[in-house]
Amino acid sequence: MTAELFIQAAYLVGSVLFILGLRGLSSPTTARRGMFQAELGMLLAVVGTLLRFEVVSYQWILIAFFLGSAIGVPIAYIMPMTAVPQRTAFSHACGALASALIGTAEYYKGLRQGPAPTTVEMTALIVETLLGFLTFTASLMAFGKLQEVLPQRPITYKGQNLVNISLLLFAVLVAVYLVLHPGETRLFPLMIGIPLLFGVLMIVPIGGADMPTVISLLNSYAGLSAAAMGFVLNSKLLIIAGALDGSSGLILSVIMSKAMNRSFTNVLFGAFGQVQTSSAAVKEARTVRSATPEEAAAILGAANSVVIVPGYGMAVAQAQHKVRELYDALTKRGVDVKFAIHPVAGRMPGHMNVLLAEADIPYDKLLDMDAINPEFPYTDVALVIGANDVTNPAARTDPASPIYGMPILDVDKARTVMVIKRGMSPGFAGIDNELYYLDKTLMLFGDAKAVVGDLVRKLGGDGHG
Ligand code: NAP
């Protein structure tokens, strides 16, 4: 009885900590605390479960623990921050497989040992298995595309959507039949095979550029599968955790789609990134103006206001600490420095916030797109560091551009624009950027960390700093 009381208390406190953790993650100031709360919640949930009377021996659990840790711990250290989307895809695949296997085991166990599952239990079990297996292969495919083990381009063929939708409908029909006739064991393997196949087919037509949004959607499926597992295993904690996971994943996908001005249907069926029909793509080679670090440092040092626009290139170069030094050097000279944060800059939501927080840049200097855009016309220098798509004016001006309609940072409205990047390569969307050819734009070619380091040196070494 005392053990049962402890378990229930651990589950209750664990659930509350999950909710507080998610709440904490909504702001950079409280994110670390939120993460700690969520971890503590998970620890309580695991300890509570291990104490359940159904757990009669620990040997298999210990084997799984060491096996899981042997995979999980190195991944946490080896995979860089820029690879977080594919790392997340991989962990979804593992979680979803676990959930699907439990669903399968519970089905056969229920039939062999009784009592046979009720309609409600059977519905939860089928949802868990279907979503679990589907998410497993879809997440592995997403991982492969992002890690570039598989081709990034969408692969399409005639009648693809029809094939996919028919397969899904067939799975739903079998599922409904099984819910009504749980004893039809011959049909259950279809509940494994169809979703495994559907997961692959669902990702094939989606391009690498849309993978982060899809991963967030798969996160939501894995959460729903876990919530269904909660009903099967009669675990309120799993239902709560799964529901939180499912809803936050869905909200995140909606936010990301909005920030890219895409609809869900367009992300899932649009084959984005397949053929570039943008007028920018057929433009002849044009010249750009480049500047030396000395010239750039002189302009920056003489400015009243500078807005730094970080992007994926800053993350790749790990230039955030150098950017902090630049911020210090400029503010020391009395320059007003702010950071413009686009919601999908980088490769995952909050990517720039995390990096800049790591470099201890004051949070109040980080401004969201809506807050900073009206300030660009009054800004002396917009300094773009490894950002590309999120600054591309084609999103406002070129209806033929694949990113037309995507809200962007209006850096082209600043008095002077400086862009740090290594060459003229396009960004994630694979399209040229009109910004680089403007008269007011100066290109600073090189690795972001090296160039920002040069700027800091020039600013500090000319006697004004
Ligand atoms: P981006 O458009 O991908 O451009 C990054 C730029 O960084 C490239 O043009 C590249 O040019 C430069 N670069 C790469 N390595 C560099 C280095 N070491 N030093 C300096 N520059 C470097 O990045 P973004 O402007 O941040 O836009 C993000 C894109 O990802 C958007 O298209 C967005 O829709 C997409 N996306 C984001 C999310 C999210 O959640 N954040 C989710 C889904 C999709 P060079 O190679 O010439 O240097």
Side-chain angles (χ1 to χ4, degrees), residues 401-414:
S401 170
I403 61 165
Y404 183 66
M406 167 175 156
I408 56 151
L409 290 165
D410 296 332
V411 287
D412 56 318
K413 294 186 178 164

PDB file of all heavy atoms in Angstrom, residues 401-414:
ATOM      1  N   SER A 401       8.927  33.159 -56.714  1.00  0.00           N
ATOM      2  CA  SER A 401       9.905  32.544 -55.810  1.00  0.00           C
ATOM      3  C   SER A 401       9.242  31.501 -54.910  1.00  0.00           C
ATOM      4  O   SER A 401       8.130  31.707 -54.430  1.00  0.00           O
ATOM      5  CB  SER A 401      10.537  33.642 -54.942  1.00  0.00           C
ATOM      6  OG  SER A 401      11.305  33.044 -53.926  1.00  0.00           O
ATOM      7  N   PRO A 402       9.944  30.374 -54.662  1.00  0.00           N
ATOM      8  CA  PRO A 402       9.359  29.344 -53.789  1.00  0.00           C
ATOM      9  C   PRO A 402       9.113  29.854 -52.366  1.00  0.00           C
ATOM     10  O   PRO A 402       8.326  29.264 -51.639  1.00  0.00           O
ATOM     11  CB  PRO A 402      10.411  28.233 -53.767  1.00  0.00           C
ATOM     12  CG  PRO A 402      11.387  28.546 -54.832  1.00  0.00           C
ATOM     13  CD  PRO A 402      11.259  29.988 -55.180  1.00  0.00           C
ATOM     14  N   ILE A 403       9.815  30.937 -51.987  1.00  0.00           N
ATOM     15  CA  ILE A 403       9.595  31.423 -50.624  1.00  0.00           C
ATOM     16  C   ILE A 403       8.680  32.659 -50.610  1.00  0.00           C
ATOM     17  O   ILE A 403       8.559  33.332 -49.578  1.00  0.00           O
ATOM     18  CB  ILE A 403      10.921  31.737 -49.871  1.00  0.00           C
ATOM     19  CG1 ILE A 403      11.733  32.826 -50.584  1.00  0.00           C
ATOM     20  CG2 ILE A 403      11.749  30.497 -49.650  1.00  0.00           C
ATOM     21  CD1 ILE A 403      12.821  33.411 -49.701  1.00  0.00           C
ATOM     22  N   TYR A 404       8.033  32.934 -51.756  1.00  0.00           N
ATOM     23  CA  TYR A 404       7.158  34.115 -51.807  1.00  0.00           C
ATOM     24  C   TYR A 404       6.096  34.036 -50.715  1.00  0.00           C
ATOM     25  O   TYR A 404       5.438  33.008 -50.557  1.00  0.00           O
ATOM     26  CB  TYR A 404       6.492  34.220 -53.181  1.00  0.00           C
ATOM     27  CG  TYR A 404       5.638  35.460 -53.337  1.00  0.00           C
ATOM     28  CD1 TYR A 404       6.223  36.724 -53.339  1.00  0.00           C
ATOM     29  CD2 TYR A 404       4.256  35.374 -53.450  1.00  0.00           C
ATOM     30  CE1 TYR A 404       5.454  37.870 -53.467  1.00  0.00           C
ATOM     31  CE2 TYR A 404       3.476  36.513 -53.583  1.00  0.00           C
ATOM     32  CZ  TYR A 404       4.088  37.763 -53.583  1.00  0.00           C
ATOM     33  OH  TYR A 404       3.327  38.905 -53.692  1.00  0.00           O
ATOM     34  N   GLY A 405       5.963  35.125 -49.970  1.00  0.00           N
ATOM     35  CA  GLY A 405       4.952  35.159 -48.913  1.00  0.00           C
ATOM     36  C   GLY A 405       5.511  34.826 -47.535  1.00  0.00           C
ATOM     37  O   GLY A 405       4.878  35.084 -46.527  1.00  0.00           O
ATOM     38  N   MET A 406       6.729  34.251 -47.502  1.00  0.00           N
ATOM     39  CA  MET A 406       7.323  33.929 -46.196  1.00  0.00           C
ATOM     40  C   MET A 406       7.705  35.241 -45.504  1.00  0.00           C
ATOM     41  O   MET A 406       8.314  36.109 -46.131  1.00  0.00           O
ATOM     42  CB  MET A 406       8.577  33.065 -46.425  1.00  0.00           C
ATOM     43  CG  MET A 406       9.475  32.901 -45.231  1.00  0.00           C
ATOM     44  SD  MET A 406      10.821  31.732 -45.656  1.00  0.00           S
ATOM     45  CE  MET A 406      12.071  32.204 -44.495  1.00  0.00           C
ATOM     46  N   PRO A 407       7.307  35.437 -44.263  1.00  0.00           N
ATOM     47  CA  PRO A 407       7.690  36.684 -43.598  1.00  0.00           C
ATOM     48  C   PRO A 407       9.216  36.715 -43.418  1.00  0.00           C
ATOM     49  O   PRO A 407       9.795  35.710 -43.019  1.00  0.00           O
ATOM     50  CB  PRO A 407       6.993  36.599 -42.231  1.00  0.00           C
ATOM     51  CG  PRO A 407       6.147  35.373 -42.266  1.00  0.00           C
ATOM     52  CD  PRO A 407       6.596  34.516 -43.392  1.00  0.00           C
ATOM     53  N   ILE A 408       9.844  37.833 -43.766  1.00  0.00           N
ATOM     54  CA  ILE A 408      11.317  37.898 -43.656  1.00  0.00           C
ATOM     55  C   ILE A 408      11.736  39.086 -42.805  1.00  0.00           C
ATOM     56  O   ILE A 408      10.930  39.966 -42.498  1.00  0.00           O
ATOM     57  CB  ILE A 408      11.993  38.019 -45.039  1.00  0.00           C
ATOM     58  CG1 ILE A 408      11.434  39.242 -45.791  1.00  0.00           C
ATOM     59  CG2 ILE A 408      11.871  36.761 -45.838  1.00  0.00           C
ATOM     60  CD1 ILE A 408      12.421  39.849 -46.743  1.00  0.00           C
ATOM     61  N   LEU A 409      13.009  39.126 -42.463  1.00  0.00           N
ATOM     62  CA  LEU A 409      13.582  40.284 -41.775  1.00  0.00           C
ATOM     63  C   LEU A 409      13.915  41.312 -42.868  1.00  0.00           C
ATOM     64  O   LEU A 409      14.640  40.996 -43.819  1.00  0.00           O
ATOM     65  CB  LEU A 409      14.840  39.876 -41.019  1.00  0.00           C
ATOM     66  CG  LEU A 409      14.598  38.980 -39.802  1.00  0.00           C
ATOM     67  CD1 LEU A 409      15.886  38.320 -39.334  1.00  0.00           C
ATOM     68  CD2 LEU A 409      13.976  39.784 -38.656  1.00  0.00           C
ATOM     69  N   ASP A 410      13.398  42.536 -42.720  1.00  0.00           N
ATOM     70  CA  ASP A 410      13.542  43.537 -43.788  1.00  0.00           C
ATOM     71  C   ASP A 410      14.907  44.224 -43.749  1.00  0.00           C
ATOM     72  O   ASP A 410      14.992  45.457 -43.699  1.00  0.00           O
ATOM     73  CB  ASP A 410      12.429  44.594 -43.656  1.00  0.00           C
ATOM     74  CG  ASP A 410      11.050  43.980 -43.855  1.00  0.00           C
ATOM     75  OD1 ASP A 410      10.961  42.967 -44.586  1.00  0.00           O
ATOM     76  OD2 ASP A 410      10.074  44.499 -43.273  1.00  0.00           O
ATOM     77  N   VAL A 411      15.983  43.449 -43.805  1.00  0.00           N
ATOM     78  CA  VAL A 411      17.322  44.036 -43.705  1.00  0.00           C
ATOM     79  C   VAL A 411      17.629  44.978 -44.861  1.00  0.00           C
ATOM     80  O   VAL A 411      18.405  45.917 -44.721  1.00  0.00           O
ATOM     81  CB  VAL A 411      18.424  42.954 -43.644  1.00  0.00           C
ATOM     82  CG1 VAL A 411      18.453  42.253 -42.345  1.00  0.00           C
ATOM     83  CG2 VAL A 411      18.278  41.968 -44.759  1.00  0.00           C
ATOM     84  N   ASP A 412      17.002  44.726 -46.027  1.00  0.00           N
ATOM     85  CA  ASP A 412      17.275  45.564 -47.193  1.00  0.00           C
ATOM     86  C   ASP A 412      16.821  46.998 -46.978  1.00  0.00           C
ATOM     87  O   ASP A 412      17.165  47.880 -47.756  1.00  0.00           O
ATOM     88  CB  ASP A 412      16.598  44.971 -48.437  1.00  0.00           C
ATOM     89  CG  ASP A 412      15.104  44.773 -48.248  1.00  0.00           C
ATOM     90  OD1 ASP A 412      14.700  44.304 -47.156  1.00  0.00           O
ATOM     91  OD2 ASP A 412      14.330  45.107 -49.172  1.00  0.00           O
ATOM     92  N   LYS A 413      16.059  47.249 -45.908  1.00  0.00           N
ATOM     93  CA  LYS A 413      15.606  48.619 -45.655  1.00  0.00           C
ATOM     94  C   LYS A 413      16.595  49.411 -44.795  1.00  0.00           C
ATOM     95  O   LYS A 413      16.423  50.610 -44.582  1.00  0.00           O
ATOM     96  CB  LYS A 413      14.227  48.587 -44.977  1.00  0.00           C
ATOM     97  CG  LYS A 413      13.155  48.016 -45.897  1.00  0.00           C
ATOM     98  CD  LYS A 413      11.780  48.113 -45.306  1.00  0.00           C
ATOM     99  CE  LYS A 413      10.754  47.572 -46.293  1.00  0.00           C
ATOM    100  NZ  LYS A 413       9.474  47.286 -45.659  1.00  0.00           N
ATOM    101  N   ALA A 414      17.625  48.723 -44.278  1.00  0.00           N
ATOM    102  CA  ALA A 414      18.633  49.427 -43.479  1.00  0.00           C
ATOM    103  C   ALA A 414      19.472  50.315 -44.398  1.00  0.00           C
ATOM    104  O   ALA A 414      19.499  50.106 -45.616  1.00  0.00           O
ATOM    105  CB  ALA A 414      19.512  48.409 -42.769  1.00  0.00           C
TER     106      ALA A 414
END
